[in-house]
Amino acid sequence: MKKDLGPATAMYPSLTTIVGAVVNGRPNFLAVAHVGIMNHGQPQYISVGINKSHYSGPGIHEHREFSVNIPSEALMAETDYVGIVSGKKTDKSTLFELFTGELQHAPLIAQCSVSMECRLYQVVDFPSHEVFIGEIVKTWADESILTEKGHIDPAKVRPLLFDMGTLSYYGLGPVLGGCWNVGKKLKKG
Ligand SMILES: Cc1cc2nc3c(=O)[nH]c(=O)nc-3n(C[C@H](O)[C@H](O)[C@H](O)COP(=O)(O)O)c2cc1C
Protein backbone atom coordinates (compact mmCIF):
# COMPACT_ATOMS: atom_id res chain seq x y z
CA MET A 1 0.00 0.00 0.00
CA LYS A 2 1.28 3.48 -0.83
CA LYS A 3 0.39 6.44 1.37
CA ASP A 4 -0.27 9.86 -0.14
CA LEU A 5 2.00 12.33 1.66
CA GLY A 6 0.68 15.32 -0.26
CA PRO A 7 3.22 17.71 -1.77
CA ALA A 8 5.90 16.81 0.80
CA THR A 9 9.54 17.34 -0.15
CA ALA A 10 11.13 13.93 -0.32
CA MET A 11 14.53 14.97 -1.64
CA TYR A 12 16.46 13.71 1.35
CA PRO A 13 19.00 12.87 2.51
CA SER A 14 20.95 15.74 1.03
CA LEU A 15 24.50 16.90 1.52
CA THR A 16 25.04 19.19 4.49
CA THR A 17 27.26 22.14 3.66
CA ILE A 18 28.50 25.23 5.44
CA VAL A 19 28.07 28.35 3.35
CA GLY A 20 30.37 31.27 4.08
CA ALA A 21 29.85 34.92 3.20
CA VAL A 22 31.13 38.27 4.35
CA VAL A 23 28.31 40.09 6.10
CA ASN A 24 28.75 43.57 7.53
CA GLY A 25 32.51 43.24 7.15
CA ARG A 26 32.88 39.89 8.95
CA PRO A 27 32.89 36.29 7.78
CA ASN A 28 29.64 34.52 8.63
CA PHE A 29 28.68 30.88 8.25
CA LEU A 30 25.44 28.95 8.13
CA ALA A 31 24.46 25.32 7.58
CA VAL A 32 22.78 24.76 4.22
CA ALA A 33 21.37 21.43 3.10
CA HIS A 34 19.32 22.78 0.21
CA VAL A 35 22.10 22.51 -2.32
CA GLY A 36 22.14 21.58 -5.96
CA ILE A 37 24.43 21.02 -8.89
CA MET A 38 23.63 23.26 -11.85
CA ASN A 39 25.00 22.64 -15.31
CA HIS A 40 27.70 20.06 -15.76
CA GLY A 41 31.10 20.88 -17.12
CA GLN A 42 32.50 24.38 -17.56
CA PRO A 43 31.34 26.70 -16.21
CA GLN A 44 30.22 24.67 -13.23
CA TYR A 45 27.44 26.18 -11.14
CA ILE A 46 25.99 25.18 -7.79
CA SER A 47 22.94 26.45 -5.94
CA VAL A 48 22.29 27.13 -2.28
CA GLY A 49 18.79 27.91 -1.00
CA ILE A 50 18.85 30.44 1.82
CA ASN A 51 15.88 31.70 3.81
CA LYS A 52 15.32 35.41 3.31
CA SER A 53 15.17 35.96 7.07
CA HIS A 54 18.76 34.78 7.56
CA TYR A 55 21.67 37.11 8.15
CA SER A 56 23.80 35.70 5.33
CA GLY A 57 21.80 36.58 2.20
CA PRO A 58 22.47 40.35 2.15
CA GLY A 59 26.23 39.68 2.37
CA ILE A 60 26.09 37.48 -0.73
CA HIS A 61 24.10 40.16 -2.55
CA GLU A 62 26.58 42.84 -1.52
CA HIS A 63 29.80 41.10 -2.52
CA ARG A 64 28.42 38.63 -5.07
CA GLU A 65 30.72 35.95 -3.66
CA PHE A 66 30.31 33.05 -1.23
CA SER A 67 31.93 29.77 -0.25
CA VAL A 68 30.51 26.28 0.04
CA ASN A 69 32.39 24.03 2.46
CA ILE A 70 31.85 20.32 3.02
CA PRO A 71 32.09 19.41 6.70
CA SER A 72 32.94 15.88 7.78
CA GLU A 73 31.28 13.82 10.51
CA ALA A 74 33.94 15.17 12.89
CA LEU A 75 32.51 18.69 12.42
CA MET A 76 28.89 17.68 13.13
CA ALA A 77 28.51 19.82 16.26
CA GLU A 78 30.08 22.91 14.67
CA THR A 79 27.95 22.45 11.56
CA ASP A 80 24.81 22.16 13.65
CA TYR A 81 25.83 25.19 15.69
CA VAL A 82 26.14 27.46 12.65
CA GLY A 83 22.71 26.12 11.68
CA ILE A 84 21.19 27.09 15.03
CA VAL A 85 22.60 30.50 15.85
CA SER A 86 22.30 33.53 13.61
CA GLY A 87 24.92 36.10 12.78
CA LYS A 88 22.27 38.64 13.71
CA LYS A 89 23.00 37.93 17.37
CA THR A 90 26.18 35.84 17.46
CA ASP A 91 29.55 36.48 15.85
CA LYS A 92 30.44 33.20 14.11
CA SER A 93 33.54 34.63 12.42
CA THR A 94 36.09 33.03 14.80
CA LEU A 95 34.60 29.54 15.02
CA PHE A 96 36.74 28.15 12.22
CA GLU A 97 40.26 28.63 10.98
CA LEU A 98 39.88 30.45 7.66
CA PHE A 99 41.84 30.80 4.49
CA THR A 100 41.41 32.93 1.39
CA GLY A 101 41.69 31.73 -2.17
CA GLU A 102 41.06 33.81 -5.25
CA LEU A 103 37.91 35.59 -4.07
CA GLN A 104 38.17 38.08 -1.22
CA HIS A 105 34.59 37.63 0.03
CA ALA A 106 34.28 33.86 0.01
CA PRO A 107 35.68 32.80 3.41
CA LEU A 108 36.99 29.23 3.25
CA ILE A 109 37.07 26.86 6.24
CA ALA A 110 40.42 25.15 6.83
CA GLN A 111 38.85 22.33 8.89
CA CYS A 112 36.66 21.27 5.95
CA SER A 113 38.50 18.92 3.61
CA VAL A 114 36.65 20.35 0.60
CA SER A 115 35.79 24.02 -0.03
CA MET A 116 34.52 25.84 -3.10
CA GLU A 117 34.80 29.53 -3.91
CA CYS A 118 31.79 30.79 -5.82
CA ARG A 119 31.01 33.95 -7.76
CA LEU A 120 27.31 34.82 -7.74
CA TYR A 121 25.77 34.14 -11.12
CA GLN A 122 22.04 34.39 -10.54
CA VAL A 123 19.48 34.67 -7.76
CA VAL A 124 16.15 32.89 -8.07
CA ASP A 125 13.54 34.48 -5.85
CA PHE A 126 11.04 32.21 -4.09
CA PRO A 127 8.52 33.23 -1.41
CA SER A 128 10.59 32.04 1.58
CA HIS A 129 14.02 31.44 0.08
CA GLU A 130 16.44 32.90 -2.37
CA VAL A 131 18.38 30.39 -4.40
CA PHE A 132 21.87 31.72 -4.96
CA ILE A 133 23.47 30.15 -7.98
CA GLY A 134 27.22 30.53 -8.00
CA GLU A 135 29.89 29.73 -10.51
CA ILE A 136 32.60 27.64 -8.89
CA VAL A 137 35.79 29.64 -9.37
CA LYS A 138 38.07 27.27 -7.47
CA THR A 139 37.76 24.10 -5.42
CA TRP A 140 40.20 23.33 -2.63
CA ALA A 141 40.68 19.82 -1.29
CA ASP A 142 42.98 18.36 1.35
CA GLU A 143 45.47 16.06 -0.33
CA SER A 144 44.65 13.43 2.30
CA ILE A 145 41.11 12.92 0.93
CA LEU A 146 42.14 12.44 -2.69
CA THR A 147 42.34 9.13 -4.51
CA GLU A 148 45.54 8.11 -6.26
CA LYS A 149 44.06 9.57 -9.44
CA GLY A 150 43.40 12.90 -7.72
CA HIS A 151 39.63 12.58 -7.33
CA ILE A 152 37.81 13.46 -4.11
CA ASP A 153 37.14 10.22 -2.21
CA PRO A 154 33.80 10.48 -0.34
CA ALA A 155 34.84 7.64 1.94
CA LYS A 156 37.68 9.86 3.19
CA VAL A 157 35.61 13.07 3.30
CA ARG A 158 32.95 11.37 5.48
CA PRO A 159 30.26 13.98 4.62
CA LEU A 160 27.24 14.65 6.77
CA LEU A 161 23.92 13.80 5.17
CA PHE A 162 20.83 15.67 6.30
CA ASP A 163 17.31 14.31 6.65
CA MET A 164 14.48 16.80 7.11
CA GLY A 165 11.81 14.27 8.10
CA THR A 166 13.63 12.87 11.11
CA LEU A 167 15.88 15.92 11.61
CA SER A 168 18.91 13.66 11.72
CA TYR A 169 22.41 13.53 10.34
CA TYR A 170 23.37 10.36 8.57
CA GLY A 171 26.80 9.11 7.60
CA LEU A 172 27.90 7.62 4.32
CA GLY A 173 27.46 3.89 3.75
CA PRO A 174 29.71 1.57 1.75
CA VAL A 175 30.17 1.65 -2.01
CA LEU A 176 27.38 -0.43 -3.57
CA GLY A 177 28.41 -0.48 -7.22
CA GLY A 178 29.84 1.42 -10.12
CA CYS A 179 27.88 4.23 -11.81
CA TRP A 180 27.24 3.83 -15.53
CA ASN A 181 28.23 0.25 -14.93
CA VAL A 182 25.95 -1.94 -12.79
CA GLY A 183 22.97 -1.13 -15.05
CA LYS A 184 24.69 -2.57 -18.08
CA LYS A 185 23.53 -6.06 -17.16
CA LEU A 186 19.89 -5.02 -17.75
CA LYS A 187 20.64 -3.80 -21.28
CA LYS A 188 19.13 -5.88 -24.04
CA GLY A 189 21.27 -6.65 -27.02
C1 LIG B 1 21.44 20.76 9.20
C2 LIG B 1 20.89 22.11 8.88
C3 LIG B 1 20.61 22.44 7.57
C4 LIG B 1 20.12 23.70 7.23
N1 LIG B 1 19.84 23.99 5.93
C5 LIG B 1 19.40 25.22 5.61
C6 LIG B 1 19.14 25.56 4.25
O1 LIG B 1 19.34 24.76 3.34
N2 LIG B 1 18.70 26.80 3.98
C7 LIG B 1 18.48 27.73 4.97
O2 LIG B 1 18.07 28.86 4.67
N3 LIG B 1 18.72 27.45 6.27
C8 LIG B 1 19.18 26.22 6.61
N4 LIG B 1 19.43 25.91 7.90
C9 LIG B 1 19.22 26.93 8.93
C10 LIG B 1 20.34 27.99 8.99
O3 LIG B 1 21.62 27.41 8.89
C11 LIG B 1 20.22 28.75 10.32
O4 LIG B 1 18.97 29.37 10.42
C12 LIG B 1 21.36 29.75 10.56
O5 LIG B 1 21.34 30.09 11.92
C13 LIG B 1 21.25 31.02 9.72
O6 LIG B 1 22.41 31.76 9.99
P1 LIG B 1 22.55 33.31 9.65
O7 LIG B 1 21.31 34.00 10.16
O8 LIG B 1 23.80 33.71 10.39
O9 LIG B 1 22.68 33.46 8.17
C14 LIG B 1 19.90 24.65 8.26
C15 LIG B 1 20.18 24.32 9.59
C16 LIG B 1 20.67 23.05 9.89
C17 LIG B 1 20.96 22.71 11.33
Side-chain angles (χ1 to χ4, degrees):
M1 275 284 278
K2 287 206 185 275
K3 190 168 161 52
D4 178 0
L5 299 182
T9 317
M11 296 292 287
Y12 302 101
S14 60
L15 191 62
T16 313
T17 70
I18 302 176
V19 170
V22 174
V23 192
N24 292 324
R26 280 176 182 274
N28 189 65
F29 300 93
L30 81 161
V32 173
H34 291 169
V35 290
I37 300 165
M38 311 273 121
N39 200 34
H40 184 65
Q42 296 300 326
Q44 182 61 65
Y45 301 101
I46 52 175
S47 67
V48 293
I50 299 183
N51 194 293
K52 291 176 183 176
S53 67
H54 293 343
Y55 184 67
S56 300
I60 301 177
H61 278 287
E62 182 182 353
H63 300 293
R64 300 189 65 80
E65 293 174 2
F66 59 96
S67 70
V68 179
N69 306 271
I70 313 290
S72 69
E73 291 172 8
L75 281 180
M76 182 166 64
E78 289 82 353
T79 305
D80 203 55
Y81 175 76
V82 297
I84 294 171
V85 302
S86 173
K88 284 178 205 162
K89 289 193 177 161
T90 308
D91 178 6
K92 295 183 260 184
S93 66
T94 56
L95 188 63
F96 302 109
E97 188 187 325
L98 306 181
F99 67 102
T100 308
E102 194 172 314
L103 305 179
Q104 294 306 303
H105 299 93
L108 301 160
I109 300 176
Q111 290 95 328
C112 289
S113 58
V114 182
S115 298
M116 288 157 276
E117 307 180 51
C118 300
R119 186 176 287 123
L120 186 62
Y121 171 73
Q122 193 178 332
V123 183
V124 185
D125 190 19
F126 287 101
S128 65
H129 282 57
E130 289 179 304
V131 177
F132 295 95
I133 300 174
E135 178 184 347
I136 301 173
V137 172
K138 220 177 253 287
T139 297
W140 299 91
D142 287 352
E143 282 182 24
S144 59
I145 58 93
L146 297 179
T147 64
E148 278 181 11
K149 289 183 177 167
H151 299 295
I152 291 169
D153 184 347
K156 292 178 180 159
V157 175
R158 307 298 313 159
L160 285 169
L161 305 178
F162 167 76
D163 179 51
M164 182 68 104
T166 60
L167 290 182
S168 311
Y169 296 107
Y170 279 80
L172 194 67
V175 173
L176 300 179
C179 307
W180 283 278
N181 195 339
V182 293
K184 285 180 189 166
K185 64 185 174 200
L186 300 183
K187 270 175 124 181
K188 294 198 174 78

